[in-house]
Amino acid sequence: MWGRVHLKRNIKRSLARVTGVEAAIKRRTEAVDARYRSEIDALMSEITLQRSRAERAEYLYRTNRRAAGAYAQTFDRISKHEYGSLVPGVEAWSRKWRDTRGLRILMFANCDYAGSFYKWTAAINDHTEHAARLVVTIPHHYGYEIDLLLPNPALIKSNWDSLWGEADVLHLKDEIGFFRGPNVLPQEMLTSFQGPKVFTQYGGYARLQQDQAEYREFLSEFDQVVSMTPDLCFEWLGPTPSYIPHSIDSTSMPFRWSDKPLIGHSPSTRARKGTDDFLKAIDLLRVDYEIELDLIEGVSHSEVMNRKQHLGLFFDQAGREVKEELGIDTVIGWYGNSAIEAAVFGIPTVAHMSQNALEGAERAGVKEIQDIPILNTPLGVDGVRNTISSVLDMSVSERTDLAIRTRRFVELFHSQESVARRLDHLYADLT
């Protein structure tokens, strides 16, 4: 009997010691968790993001393989144009390409968001001795103009090889990720090209990958790296990074501004543009000002341009990257193509321009930025409200002067002639 009691007592003591050890372990674990929780959470978020991308890539690979046969058969039945393009292409560009030797620039953008590469191609063809063609594999749903529409080269070869062979310079725009993204250009098409290669940093993917050693090494394989906004002129690109802005055909778009309380905004992605903050700011402003709002969404690019030229003030963006999409919430510290499309008409324009971007422009030696008339707004509802109210509080003569300076800035910095000169210098150093 005593033995059983003694045994039970020992067991009870042992259990108590175990419980004490467990409690101590728990306390230490909680202390460790508290110390490293943020790092652990960040790591788990990165693992989740990478797993999601891997699963998406695997799905697309399987889908593409299954669809390849049917895609090829369908493509063969479609009436094709030069180089196997599904659209006729720009005839004037085609003629210049045929008549030019040694100065051919082949531009590639998977979808050409904002139509920015089409505008660069037009600037090159209209204002330099170079000849340029633009290849895309996906037409944009906003209806931006395109030149050559070629099918996915990973599935259908078409006449990609002959077009590559005729080019003297290959110029790529990174919009959905050539480094670790779902672009459709096979790697061997990059490595096999014998001429100079130019890489243009465009947006979110560059912000995502800027601190990765592998990304920097990837860019080092190109003969030149160009940034389309100065917040991408990272310090590691060197003391004088190359920044070439969006261009626009200002000669075909005259000054249109007239003083009116109509404020416009045309978000392609609300979360990235800071649209919610803007709309809240508008609600607050309506307490003290009689203003109207034109929220331009879900319409064709031609309608966007038509509505912009009737505005009194335009809000472009003051937002961040969407963490659910890229895994980062980095501030988008510059104005976009949408701002230029309003500013070309002389419409005073609001956007957030970060100190980092302004310093990047200074490193790139862009003197025009010193006199930029784009209204630099802080992030957040209060910042946007205060910036817009400062314009509403101006006199008519002050707003008129701002509109004139806005138009003039576009002519000096974003016109086809201005951008063409920058591109011409870029290619002259390579060919």
Side-chain angles (χ1 to χ4, degrees):
M1 181 70 176
W2 182 88
R4 291 180 182 178
V5 172
H6 183 69
L7 180 60
K8 288 175 66 176
R9 186 179 299 155
N10 285 343
I11 292 174
K12 188 175 181 179
R13 289 174 179 172
S14 297
L15 288 174
R17 284 196 296 271
V18 169
T19 301
V21 171
E22 287 178 340
I25 291 173
K26 183 178 180 181
R27 287 193 300 272
R28 293 182 182 179
T29 301
E30 289 174 348
V32 171
D33 283 352
R35 183 178 179 183
Y36 296 107
R37 177 51 54 191
S38 61
E39 297 179 19
I40 293 172
D41 289 344
L43 181 59
M44 292 304 297
S45 296
E46 178 66 18
I47 291 171
T48 301
L49 178 65
Q50 295 300 338
R51 181 182 293 115
S52 174
R53 287 179 181 164
E55 290 172 351
R56 176 62 176 165
E58 183 181 5
Y59 167 77
L60 289 174
Y61 174 74
R62 292 197 308 268
T63 302
N64 284 342
R65 288 197 65 183
R66 289 195 299 268
Y71 184 52
Q73 294 175 9
T74 301
F75 175 74
D76 288 339
R77 291 195 297 268
I78 297 174
S79 176
K80 298 183 289 293
H81 302 274
E82 58 178 337
Y83 302 108
S85 174
L86 303 181
V87 296
V90 181
E91 178 56 32
W93 297 0
S94 178
R95 289 196 304 270
K96 189 174 184 182
W97 183 272
R98 291 195 300 267
D99 296 340
T100 300
R101 295 291 185 274
L103 298 172
R104 290 171 171 170
I105 315 298
L106 181 58
M107 318 285 281
F108 176 85
N110 189 57
C111 186
D112 195 22
Y113 289 93
S116 57
F117 248 33
Y118 184 93
K119 295 168 187 174
W120 274 15
T121 307
I124 293 166
N125 282 314
D126 292 346
H127 301 285
T128 77
E129 294 183 0
H130 293 89
R133 300 304 301 267
L134 170 63
V135 176
V136 299
T137 60
I138 303 171
H140 197 281
H141 62 280
Y142 285 168
Y144 294 117
E145 293 179 282
I146 57 178
D147 179 25
L148 298 174
L149 176 61
L150 297 185
N152 185 331
L155 303 176
I156 304 295
K157 288 297 183 184
S158 185
N159 290 327
W160 283 84
D161 292 343
S162 60
L163 185 58
W164 245 238
E166 294 175 6
D168 298 297
V169 176
L170 177 61
H171 193 157
L172 310 176
K173 181 173 76 166
D174 177 43
E175 51 191 17
I176 60 170
F178 277 93
F179 176 50
R180 285 179 178 168
N183 77 83
V184 297
L185 195 62
Q187 183 64 25
E188 60 267 21
M189 295 184 72
L190 291 179
T191 55
S192 64
F193 186 79
Q194 298 301 308
K197 295 187 288 288
V198 180
F199 189 86
T200 294
Q201 296 190 112
Y202 179 75
Y205 276 89
R207 297 184 184 103
L208 170 66
Q209 298 159 162
Q210 60 178 295
D211 295 325
Q212 299 179 18
E214 297 88 348
Y215 179 64
R216 300 183 187 188
E217 182 179 353
F218 170 73
L219 291 192
S220 70
E221 298 173 2
F222 289 83
D223 297 276
Q224 183 60 270
V225 176
V226 176
S227 298
M228 198 170 268
T229 55
D231 60 318
L232 305 180
C233 291
F234 309 126
E235 291 187 13
W236 49 265
L237 286 172
T240 55
S242 179
Y243 162 45
I244 300 179
H246 289 268
S247 70
I248 195 164
D249 184 8
S250 56
T251 58
S252 66
M253 301 174 187
F255 182 88
R256 294 288 192 190
W257 180 83
S258 61
D259 195 35
K260 63 187 70 171
L262 179 59
I263 303 174
H265 177 51
S266 59
S268 53
T269 306
R270 284 195 175 200
R272 294 182 78 248
K273 296 292 185 177
T275 301
D276 288 348
D277 288 343
F278 166 71
L279 293 177
K280 291 175 183 176
I282 290 295
D283 287 340
L284 293 173
L285 288 165
R286 280 176 166 153
V287 174
D288 300 311
Y289 302 91
E290 292 184 3
I291 55 177
E292 300 175 48
L293 172 64
D294 187 6
L295 188 59
I296 310 171
E297 287 184 298
V299 297
S300 67
H301 182 243
S302 60
E303 182 173 344
V304 170
M305 295 300 293
N306 180 58
R307 288 164 65 173
K308 280 182 176 179
Q309 61 187 296
H310 298 293
L311 300 172
L313 180 66
F314 181 73
F315 173 79
D316 177 37
Q317 61 186 16
R320 298 173 176 270
E321 295 292 352
V322 182
K323 195 163 188 176
E324 291 75 15
E325 293 183 4
L326 284 180
I328 58 173
D329 58 358
T330 307
V331 170
I332 302 172
W334 203 244
Y335 59 93
N337 183 68
S338 186
I340 302 165
E341 292 175 344
V344 69
F345 296 115
I347 313 301
T349 298
V350 174
H352 174 66
M353 294 178 288
S354 67
Q355 185 61 34
N356 177 54
L358 293 169
E359 291 173 357
E362 184 177 351
R363 285 195 299 273
V366 181
K367 297 180 181 179
E368 293 89 342
I369 297 300
Q370 297 173 1
D371 300 317
I372 187 169
I374 302 297
L375 299 161
N376 190 2
T377 183
L379 299 174
V381 176
D382 290 340
V384 174
R385 180 191 61 184
N386 293 337
T387 303
I388 294 177
S389 67
S390 70
V391 181
L392 299 175
D393 290 337
M394 290 179 180
S395 65
V396 175
S397 62
E398 288 174 327
R399 284 194 292 269
T400 301
D401 177 69
L402 175 60
I404 293 171
R405 288 190 293 111
T406 299
R407 165 69 184 192
R408 184 60 179 157
F409 174 74
V410 174
E411 291 174 336
L412 291 175
F413 191 58
H414 291 287
S415 66
Q416 284 192 344
E417 295 87 345
S418 174
V419 173
R421 285 194 296 271
R422 296 177 184 275
L423 290 166
D424 195 32
H425 293 156
L426 171 72
Y427 301 135
D429 291 338
L430 297 175
T431 55

